[in-house]
Amino acid sequence: MITLLLILLPLLAGLVCFALPGKTARGVAFGATLVQLVLTLWAVSRLEPGSAVDSLSVSLPWLQDFGIGFSLGLDGISGLLVLLTSTLLPLILLSTFGRHDDKPASFFALMLLMQAALVGVFEARDAVLFYFMWEAALIPVYLLAGIWGGERRVQVTLKFFVYTVFGSLFMLVALAYLYSQTAAVLGHSSAAIADIYTVGRGLDLTGQIWIFWALFLAFGIKMPIFPLHTWQPDTYTESPAPATILLSGIMLKMGIFGLITWLLPVVPMAAKFYAPVVIFLAIIGVVYGAVIAIRQKDIKRLVAYSSFSHVGLMAAAIFTFSAEGIQGAVVQMFAHGVSVAGLFMIIDYIERRTNSRDILALGGITKSAPVLTVLFLIITLGSVALPLTSGFIGEFMMLLALGKYNLVAAGIAGTTIIFGAVYMFVLFQGVMFGKATKLTESFKDLTSAETIALVPLVVLTFWIGLYPAPFLKLSEPAVLALVNLLGGL
Amino acid sequence: MNAEASELALELALIPLIPLIGFIINGLGFGKLNKTVAGWLGTLAALGSFANTLHVVLEHWGQSLTVDYFSWISVGSLDIHFSFLLDPLSSIMLLVITGVGSLIHIYSMSYMHHDEGFGKFFAFLNLFLFSMLLLVMGSNYVVMFIGWEGVGLCSFLLIGFWNKVPAYNAAARKAFVMNRIGDLGFLLGIFILIALFGSVEFGVIFPQAAAVLTPNSGVAIALTMLLFVGAMGKSAQLPLYTWLPDAMAGPTPVSALIHAATMVTAGIYMVVRSNVLYVLAPTTLEFVAWIGLATALIGAAIGLFQNDIKKVLAYSTVSQLGLMFLALGVGAFSSGMFHVVTHAFFKALLFLGAGSVIHAMSDEQDIRKMGGLKGKLPVTFAVFLIATIAISGIPPFAGFFSKDEILSHVYEHSKLMWGLGLLVSFMTSFYMFRLVFLTFFGGFRGTDHQKHHLHESPWLMLGPLVVLAGLSIAGGLLGLPPVLSHNNWMADTLAPIFEQAKAVNASLFGHGSMTHETEWMLMAVSTVVALVAFAVAAFTFGGGKNVPAADGSPINPVQKLVYNKFYIDELYGAVIVTPIKAFGEYLYAVIEYLIIDLVVNIVGWSATMGGKALRRLQTGIVSFYVLLMVLSVVALALIGFTIKS
C-alpha cells in the first residue's frame, strides 16, 4: 500500500491546498512533502535487496473488464527516481519562501499535484496507467509555467505543451497497438507491463521498429534528444524557477525512465537495431548543447543548454546496453537532478536580488556573499563532474560504457568534460568574480531558508561522489536484469 | 584486519586527512579565525602530515604495501576500490610533497600576511596538499585521477586567487580547461586499461602487462599515448603548456608549490608509475622523448628574453619538465624521478627567492626595473645564486647530478638528442645568470619609492629559503654517478618499481656499456657548456649592462618572435578558441533557430491550419483543452472504479 500512499498523499494534500489561504497552504504543502520524504525513505529501505522484481506492488482493479489495472510497483530504478522527487520537492518549496508570487495557494497545490503525477509515472506498472500519469504530469507544470512564468510565457508554454502532447500521441498509439495485440497473444486483454513486454518482444523486427520510433518520439521529446529539443531552452528560461527545477530536475528523467522501462524491454530487437542512430544523435546533442552553452549570456539559458548536453550523454550510455552505461545513466539521473536543481535555485536567488540573469551585468558577488559562493562552487563542481562529487560517478561509468562501445565515440562525447568546465566556469566566474556592478553592489548573502534549501543538495553532491554504493546497490539488480535481457538476444 | 594492518591503514589515511581537516577548518572558519590562528593551523596541518609521512615511510622503508579502504565504484564485473599504495616511488613523492609543501606553508605565513584572503589561501594550500597526496598514494588509476583532477581544481582556485581581476580569472580557467583536455586523454587511457585488464589496480595490471600487451602493438601505443596526453596537460608539455606561464597570476608561493615543485611533476610520476606499459610501447617512448626535448628547447628559448622574473622561472619550469620527459622517453625513469626531486628543491627555492625579491620591490616583477639588489637582500641573493648554480648544472650542486644522469642516458640513446639537450643546458644557464645579473648586480633601476622600501625579508621567509638552499646544494648525493660511487641511492631505491619493465627490456635498466672515460667526458662537456653560458651572460649583463629595452622599442624580428613566445597563444586563439566560439554562435543562430526550430514551427503551424476545419470544437484557449483533458481522465478513472464496484 505504501506505493499507493506515495501518490495519494501529495494528491490529497494538493487538493486541500487549493482551498487554503496562502500562508497555511505553504505550511501544509511543506509538511506534506516532508512526510512524503520520510515515507519514500521507508519504502526504498523496504525494497527487497538484491532482487530485480517489483516489490511493494499494489494492484487495484480499475477497468477490470479491459484488463487494465491500477497497478503500482517499485524497483531499484524507479525507487531512485521517486526518492529524487521526494528529496527535491521540499527543497524546492523551501527555496520559494523568499518569492512573492500571486495566488500562493494554487502554486503550492499545483506543486503537490505535480509530485503525485511524477510518482505515478515512475510507479505505474500498467500501460494505460502509465500513459494517464504521463499526461497528468504535464498539466500542473504547464499551469505553473503559464501562470507564474516570464513575459513570453504564453507563447513558450503553448509550444512546450503542443510539442510534448504531439510526442505523447505517438506513445499512445504504440501502447494501444500493443494492448490490442494482447488478446490474440495471451488470450485475454491486458495492459499490465509484463504482458506488454511479452507482446512487444513477440513482434517481428518490422513491428518492433514501428513501436520503437513511436515510443522514442515521445521519450525523445521529453528528455529532450537532438533535434527534438527546441522547446526546452525557452521553456526552462521562461518558467518560474520552481517549475524549471521540476522540468529539468525530475521531468526530463521521465523520458530517460521511459527509455529504460517502457522502450528497451518492450522492443529490444529494434532498440539494438537503431542503437547506433540513437547514440549518434545523442552525442551530437552532447557537443551541440555544450558549444551553444558557452556563448549564452542569459545564465538560465546557459544552464538549460548544459542540461540538454548532459541528457544526451545519458541517452547514449543507455543505448550501449551495458551495465556500466545503464547504471551510469541511472546514478547520473539522480546526480543531475541534484546539481541542476541547485543551479536553478541559485540563479533564482540571484535574479530575485538583482532582477537580472545577464552574465555581463552581474559580477563580484563573492565579496558580499561568501555562503552563496561556497555552495555555488560546490554545486558547480558537481556539475563539471569533479571526482569525489556526484557528477563524476555517473559520467565515468557512462563514458566507460561508450569507450567500450567505441573509443572514438567516447572521445567525442568526452569533450563534455572540457566544454562543461568552460561554460560552468564562465558562469561561475562571470557571476561571482570580477568587479561588483551596479546590480550587485548591495547584494545580500543567502537567507537561512535559502541556505537550508541548498545544503542537502551539497551534502548529496559529496555523498554520491564519495560513497555511491547505497545508490548503486539500490538500482543494480534492476539494471543487471535489463542488461541480461538485452544481452540474451 | 589485524592490529598492525589497521594501524598502518590509519597512519596512511592520516597523511592526506590531516591537510583535509586543515582545509575544512580554515575553509569554514574563513573570516572568523584570525590570521595567526589560520596561518599556524594550515602550516601545522602540512607539518603534521610531513611528520606522519616521515614516520610511516621510515617504518616501512623499501616495502610495497597496499591498504584497501572501501569499494568505491562497483558496476558489473568492475570494482574500483578506494585504496592506497605505499612503495618506494610513492614514498619519495610523499616526502617531497609534504616536505617542500611545509616549507612553503611557513614562508606563506609571512608572505601573504597582508592579504585579506589569508585564511582562504591556507585552506586552498591544504586542499592542494590533500589532492596531491591522493594522486601519489592511490593504488589504482582512478584514485590517482581523483588527485589528478583535484590538483587541477586547486590550481584553478589559486591562480584566480585575486578574483577581482578578469585576466587572472581567465588564466585560472585556461589552466583548468587545458588540464581537462589532458584529463580526457587520461580517462580514455583508463578505459582501455579496463577493457584489457578488467581492473584499474596497479597491482593487477602491471604483472599481467607483458602477457596481455604485444610489444609495440597498436593498442599498447594507443594506451600509452592517451595516458601521455594526460601527462602533457598536467606537466605542461607541448602543445598543452601555455597555461603554465599564465598560471603565474597566482600568489608566488603557489607558483613555487604547485606550478614548479609538485603538481606539474604529476605527469612524470604517472609515466614512471606506468613504466612497464611504456616499455611495452617503444614508439610512444620515442614520441615522449621528442615531445620532451621540443618542450625543453622552446621553453628555454622563450625564457631567454622574458623580463618578468616569474615568467622567466615559469618557462624554465616548462623547459625542465621537458628534460624530465626526455629522460623518461629514453627509458631513464629513475633519472627522471631524480630530476623531479632536485628540481623541486631548486625551483621552489627560485620561486620563493623571487617572492622575496618581489616582496622587497613593493610587488614589482619586471627585472628591467630592478638591479643591484645583492647589497640590500644578501640572504635572498645568496640562496638565489645557489639555486641558479644548481639549475644551471654546475657541479657539485644538485642539478648537475640529475641533469648529467639524464644527459648520459640520452647520449647512449641518440647523439643528436644529446646535442640538443646540451643546447637546452646552455640556454638554461644563460637565462638564469641573465636573471641574476639583471636583478642583483649593477645599479638600482626602480623608483625612489621602491628604493626607500627595499628590505630583506623576515626570517619566517628566509628560513625555508635556507633549508631549500641546503637541499639544492646537497641533493646530488641522492644519485651519485657510477664514476663516483657504486651506489646510486635513487636508482637502487626505485629498482623494485621497474621489476616488470626490466623483464621486458633489461637493457634500459643497466648501467649501460658506457666506459668511465666516456662518463668523465660527458660530465666535463656538460660543465663546460654551463660555464660558457655563464661567461656569456656575465659578459653581456655583468654589472647590470645591456638592460633590455622597454616594451615597444624596436627589436629585431627573431627577438620579437621569441619575446612574444612564438605567438603560440595567439595561434591557439585563432585556430581553436575563436572557431569554437564562432561555431557556437553559428549553431545557436543558424542551426537552432533558422533550421530546427523553423521546421518545428512549420509542422505546428500546418497542424493548426489543418485543424481549422474543426474550428467549432476549438476555442483556441489552452486552458480549455487542459480542463477538457483533466475532466476526461478523471471521468475515465471514476468510470473504472464504478464498474468495478
Side-chain angles (χ1 to χ4, degrees):
Chain A
M1 290 310 279
I2 180 77
T3 36
L4 182 61
L5 196 57
L6 287 175
I7 297 176
L8 285 181
L9 172 70
L11 178 68
L12 296 176
L15 292 175
V16 168
C17 277
F18 273 119
L20 296 173
K23 267 251 158 107
T24 324
R26 185 171 93 174
V28 169
F30 186 59
T33 55
L34 286 180
V35 175
Q36 173 87 348
L37 177 58
V38 173
L39 289 178
T40 308
L41 287 171
W42 187 72
V44 168
S45 72
R46 291 217 3 202
L47 284 178
E48 287 162 45
S51 154
V53 298
D54 297 313
S55 38
L56 311 174
S57 53
V58 171
S59 195
L60 302 176
W62 186 26
L63 300 166
Q64 212 169 6
D65 296 346
F66 303 99
I68 297 168
F70 199 93
S71 313
L72 303 170
L74 277 180
D75 62 8
I77 298 173
S78 50
L80 208 55
L81 289 168
V82 173
L83 185 60
L84 175 66
T85 310
S86 299
T87 309
L88 289 187
L89 254 291
L91 303 178
I92 299 173
L93 293 187
L94 197 56
S95 80
T96 64
F97 283 12
R99 286 176 70 97
H100 300 287
D101 295 316
D102 302 334
K103 298 172 257 176
S106 312
F107 176 83
F108 290 112
L110 287 170
M111 294 293 288
L112 288 169
L113 295 185
M114 184 69 191
Q115 181 171 25
L118 287 167
V119 172
V121 168
F122 299 135
E123 289 188 342
R125 310 302 287 172
D126 177 283
V128 174
L129 183 63
F130 175 69
Y131 180 76
F132 171 81
M133 290 296 183
W134 178 276
E135 294 294 29
L138 189 56
I139 298 160
V141 80
Y142 168 74
L143 292 173
L144 283 168
I147 298 172
W148 289 278
E151 281 166 22
R152 291 169 54 230
R153 63 180 183 274
V154 176
Q155 177 201 347
V156 164
T157 47
L158 177 64
K159 182 171 175 178
F160 159 63
F161 190 83
V162 173
Y163 209 141
T164 44
V165 167
F166 171 81
S168 314
L169 286 178
F170 285 89
M171 173 166 77
L172 179 63
V173 172
L175 294 177
Y177 176 78
L178 291 168
Y179 170 73
S180 74
Q181 296 300 303
T182 49
V185 177
L186 304 162
H188 62 274
S189 291
S190 169
I193 191 166
D195 296 330
I196 295 290
Y197 283 0
T198 313
V199 172
R201 287 177 211 159
L203 295 173
D204 63 0
L205 184 60
T206 322
Q208 287 205 359
I209 286 171
W210 282 102
I211 302 290
F212 174 85
W213 285 112
L215 292 173
F216 186 77
L217 208 55
F219 302 143
I221 288 172
K222 204 70 150 197
M223 289 196 290
I225 203 162
F226 181 88
L228 305 171
H229 64 276
T230 52
W231 64 268
Q232 186 240 32
D234 281 340
T235 310
Y236 281 18
T237 313
E238 289 299 317
S239 298
T244 309
I245 298 171
L246 286 177
L247 283 164
S248 58
I250 311 170
M251 217 169 162
L252 73 81
K253 275 76 183 187
M254 284 166 55
I256 300 167
F257 173 76
L259 289 182
I260 294 177
T261 309
W262 290 95
L263 190 146
L264 295 189
V266 179
V267 284
M269 261 197 303
K272 277 204 159 172
F273 191 75
Y274 281 109
V277 177
V278 176
I279 291 177
F280 181 72
L281 287 176
I283 291 178
I284 289 182
V286 172
V287 179
Y288 182 94
V291 173
I292 289 184
I294 294 174
R295 300 303 288 161
Q296 295 307 309
K297 297 287 167 269
D298 179 333
I299 52 181
K300 209 168 172 186
R301 192 171 281 269
L302 187 156
V303 176
Y305 275 105
S306 93
S307 174
F308 168 52
S309 172
H310 281 134
V311 170
L313 186 56
M314 296 181 220
I318 287 170
F319 274 83
T320 62
F321 304 135
S322 59
E324 295 93 338
I326 299 177
Q327 259 300 47
V330 169
V331 75
Q332 182 70 354
M333 277 200 265
F334 198 96
H336 175 263
V338 168
S339 70
V340 86
L343 288 172
F344 280 125
M345 267 183 210
I346 286 164
I347 289 170
D348 188 38
Y349 296 164
I350 291 171
E351 192 179 358
R352 276 184 221 166
R353 287 164 168 76
T354 61
N355 282 317
S356 173
R357 296 194 308 258
D358 181 357
I359 203 166
L360 299 174
L362 297 167
I365 291 177
T366 184
K367 184 85 187 131
S368 53
V371 176
L372 176 64
T373 308
V374 172
L375 298 175
F376 191 4
L377 180 62
I378 294 169
I379 301 274
T380 299
L381 297 178
S383 178
V384 302
L386 197 84
L388 298 189
T389 67
S390 54
F392 177 71
I393 306 294
E395 272 192 19
F396 178 82
M397 292 201 279
M398 293 191 291
L399 289 173
L400 169 62
L402 273 180
K404 283 184 169 177
Y405 173 81
N406 181 320
L407 199 63
V408 176
I412 296 170
T415 56
T416 180
I417 71 163
I418 300 164
F419 292 135
V422 177
Y423 62 69
M424 285 313 296
F425 283 135
V426 164
L427 166 64
F428 180 78
Q429 291 184 325
V431 171
M432 303 307 288
F433 292 168
K435 287 216 169 61
T437 66
K438 260 190 216 137
L439 297 177
T440 60
E441 269 166 357
S442 53
F443 196 94
K444 292 218 166 46
D445 206 349
L446 301 188
T447 64
S448 30
E450 287 170 334
T451 309
I452 295 168
L454 277 176
V455 165
L457 299 178
V458 166
V459 170
L460 280 168
T461 300
F462 285 124
W463 183 0
I464 302 171
L466 268 169
Y467 192 64
F471 299 90
L472 295 175
K473 287 223 173 69
L474 186 61
S475 57
E476 188 169 41
V479 169
L480 291 182
L482 179 60
V483 172
N484 280 339
L485 166 77
L486 295 164
L489 288 170
Chain B
M1 205 185 282
N2 62 37
E4 200 181 324
S6 58
E7 189 193 326
L8 174 68
L10 178 66
E11 284 173 350
L12 265 189
L14 280 177
I15 295 177
L17 278 182
I18 296 172
L20 180 67
I21 293 166
F23 160 71
I24 292 171
I25 298 176
N26 257 336
L28 294 177
F30 177 54
K32 297 171 198 100
L33 298 173
N34 77 41
K35 285 185 178 180
T36 315
V37 174
W40 276 107
L41 195 85
T43 305
L44 285 175
L47 281 169
S49 185
F50 175 60
N52 184 39
T53 301
L54 209 56
H55 165 72
V56 178
V57 164
L58 291 180
E59 192 176 331
H60 303 281
W61 187 250
Q63 293 171 284
S64 175
L65 302 164
T66 305
V67 176
D68 185 10
Y69 292 93
F70 58 91
S71 166
W72 181 38
I73 301 177
S74 161
V75 54
S77 56
L78 179 68
D79 190 7
I80 299 169
H81 279 248
F82 204 99
S83 51
F84 289 158
L85 169 66
L86 183 73
D87 73 346
L89 180 58
S90 55
S91 298
I92 290 175
M93 289 300 291
L94 288 176
L95 288 172
V96 172
I97 294 161
T98 54
V100 175
S102 295
L103 292 172
I104 290 171
H105 277 72
I106 295 170
Y107 176 95
S108 301
M109 283 200 285
S110 173
Y111 187 85
M112 295 297 289
H113 198 74
H114 298 293
D115 199 285
E116 55 182 34
F118 185 81
K120 188 173 76 174
F121 182 78
F122 275 88
F124 290 167
L125 279 191
N126 277 184
L127 182 66
F128 169 76
L129 279 190
F130 165 74
S131 306
M132 190 70 202
L133 292 168
L134 275 190
L135 193 160
V136 298
M137 291 179 80
S139 80
N140 63 54
Y141 281 100
V142 185
V143 175
M144 188 199 272
F145 192 75
I146 303 175
W148 192 267
E149 287 244 297
V151 293
L153 169 70
C154 297
S155 179
F156 166 84
L157 292 171
L158 285 161
I159 294 169
F161 186 73
W162 292 306
N163 59 42
K164 272 197 198 125
V165 187
Y168 294 178
N169 290 333
R173 203 164 64 229
K174 180 176 179 179
F176 194 83
V177 170
M178 268 207 174
N179 268 286
R180 274 234 152 160
I181 296 173
D183 294 355
L184 177 58
F186 191 1
L187 264 186
L188 294 175
I190 293 176
F191 297 160
I192 296 186
L193 285 171
I194 293 174
L196 288 175
F197 298 93
S199 172
V200 288
E201 283 292 322
F202 303 143
V204 175
I205 294 173
F206 299 151
Q208 295 181 53
V212 173
L213 289 168
T214 314
N216 233 8
S217 57
V219 67
I221 293 171
L223 164 64
T224 45
M225 283 284 188
L226 285 169
L227 293 178
F228 181 57
V229 170
M232 283 174 170
K234 195 92 347 183
S235 297
Q237 294 300 288
L238 268 175
L240 301 178
Y241 73 92
T242 59
W243 67 270
L244 184 59
D246 287 12
M248 298 304 133
T252 307
V254 170
S255 311
L257 179 61
I258 301 190
H259 304 121
T262 58
M263 167 177 135
V264 290
T265 63
I268 319 280
Y269 166 78
M270 189 253 270
V271 174
V272 172
R273 179 59 83 191
S274 315
N275 62 80
V276 63
L277 303 177
Y278 280 87
V279 170
L280 284 163
T283 306
T284 311
L285 275 183
E286 192 67 19
F287 180 75
V288 170
W290 279 107
I291 288 285
L293 185 56
T295 309
L297 283 166
I298 286 201
I302 296 177
L304 293 176
F305 293 105
Q306 295 304 307
N307 295 320
D308 178 317
I309 186 168
K310 285 179 73 179
K311 282 271 159 98
V312 175
L313 297 178
Y315 281 103
S316 153
T317 305
V318 170
S319 170
Q320 294 293 308
L321 290 165
L323 214 54
M324 296 176 209
F325 277 107
L326 173 61
L328 306 185
V330 301
F333 296 104
S334 123
S335 316
M337 273 309 294
F338 184 22
H339 203 56
V340 164
V341 175
T342 59
H343 180 259
F345 298 153
F346 57 68
K347 190 53 69 65
L349 177 51
L350 284 170
F351 268 111
L352 295 184
S356 178
V357 169
I358 295 166
H359 197 65
M361 289 289 300
S362 314
D363 293 331
E364 179 62 72
Q365 297 188 191
D366 191 333
I367 52 175
R368 289 171 296 193
K369 296 176 184 152
M370 296 179 182
L373 298 183
K374 69 174 157 47
K376 294 278 188 182
L377 310 174
V379 182
T380 304
F381 167 66
V383 295
F384 203 89
L385 185 63
I386 289 169
T388 300
I389 296 172
I391 194 178
S392 301
I394 296 170
F397 289 5
F400 167 76
F401 291 98
S402 52
K403 200 188 279 184
D404 175 69
E405 195 179 311
I406 291 175
L407 287 178
S408 74
H409 282 280
V410 173
Y411 178 82
E412 281 186 286
H413 184 81
S414 152
K415 305 285 180 294
L416 171 62
M417 284 182 167
W418 175 73
L420 293 170
L422 280 181
L423 181 57
V424 173
S425 284
F426 181 87
M427 291 194 282
T428 306
S429 177
F430 176 81
Y431 66 66
M432 283 310 305
F433 281 105
R434 168 182 177 267
L435 185 60
V436 168
F437 283 118
L438 288 176
T439 307
F440 293 100
F441 289 80
F444 186 70
R445 299 182 294 274
T447 62
D448 285 343
H449 171 80
Q450 286 167 333
K451 190 168 187 175
H452 183 70
H453 278 92
L454 272 183
H455 58 278
E456 181 60 287
S457 299
W459 275 101
L460 209 52
M461 280 166 69
L462 296 180
L465 294 181
V466 172
V467 175
L468 285 169
L471 293 167
S472 300
I473 293 171
L477 295 174
L478 296 174
L480 293 173
V483 287
L484 295 180
S485 160
H486 288 299
N487 298 318
N488 180 321
W489 180 87
M490 184 65 72
D492 297 343
T493 305
L494 289 177
I497 308 294
F498 308 117
E499 287 294 328
Q500 287 115 1
K502 215 169 171 175
V504 176
N505 183 351
S507 67
L508 286 174
F509 298 93
H511 282 306
S513 51
M514 203 179 281
T515 60
H516 282 243
E517 286 72 29
T518 319
E519 279 188 49
W520 282 115
M521 182 277 286
L522 291 176
M523 286 162 85
V525 173
S526 295
T527 310
V528 168
V529 163
L531 289 173
V532 169
F534 158 73
V536 176
F539 180 74
T540 316
F541 302 106
K545 284 180 297 188
N546 292 317
V547 174
D551 289 338
S553 326
I555 42 177
N556 74 50
V558 177
Q559 270 184 326
K560 194 174 169 194
L561 180 70
V562 179
Y563 183 68
N564 288 301
K565 310 153 202 165
F566 299 106
Y567 296 99
I568 286 174
D569 273 311
E570 287 78 2
L571 183 75
Y572 287 177
V575 177
I576 300 165
V577 181
T578 312
I580 287 181
K581 285 183 177 170
F583 187 50
E585 302 284 9
Y586 167 80
L587 289 181
Y588 189 56
V590 179
I591 306 286
E592 183 84 346
Y593 280 103
L594 280 182
I595 300 181
I596 300 178
D597 205 39
L598 193 65
V599 172
V600 170
N601 287 340
I602 289 172
V603 171
W605 178 81
S606 340
T608 318
M609 289 296 121
K612 280 209 163 166
L614 302 166
R615 185 112 203 198
R616 304 248 162 88
L617 278 178
Q618 261 186 309
T619 60
I621 303 163
V622 174
S623 42
F624 173 73
Y625 303 141
V626 173
L627 183 68
L628 216 59
M629 205 158 159
V630 177
L631 288 178
S632 25
V633 285
V634 169
L636 192 66
L638 286 179
I639 291 167
F641 283 110
T642 353
I643 289 175
K644 175 216 124 196
S645 54

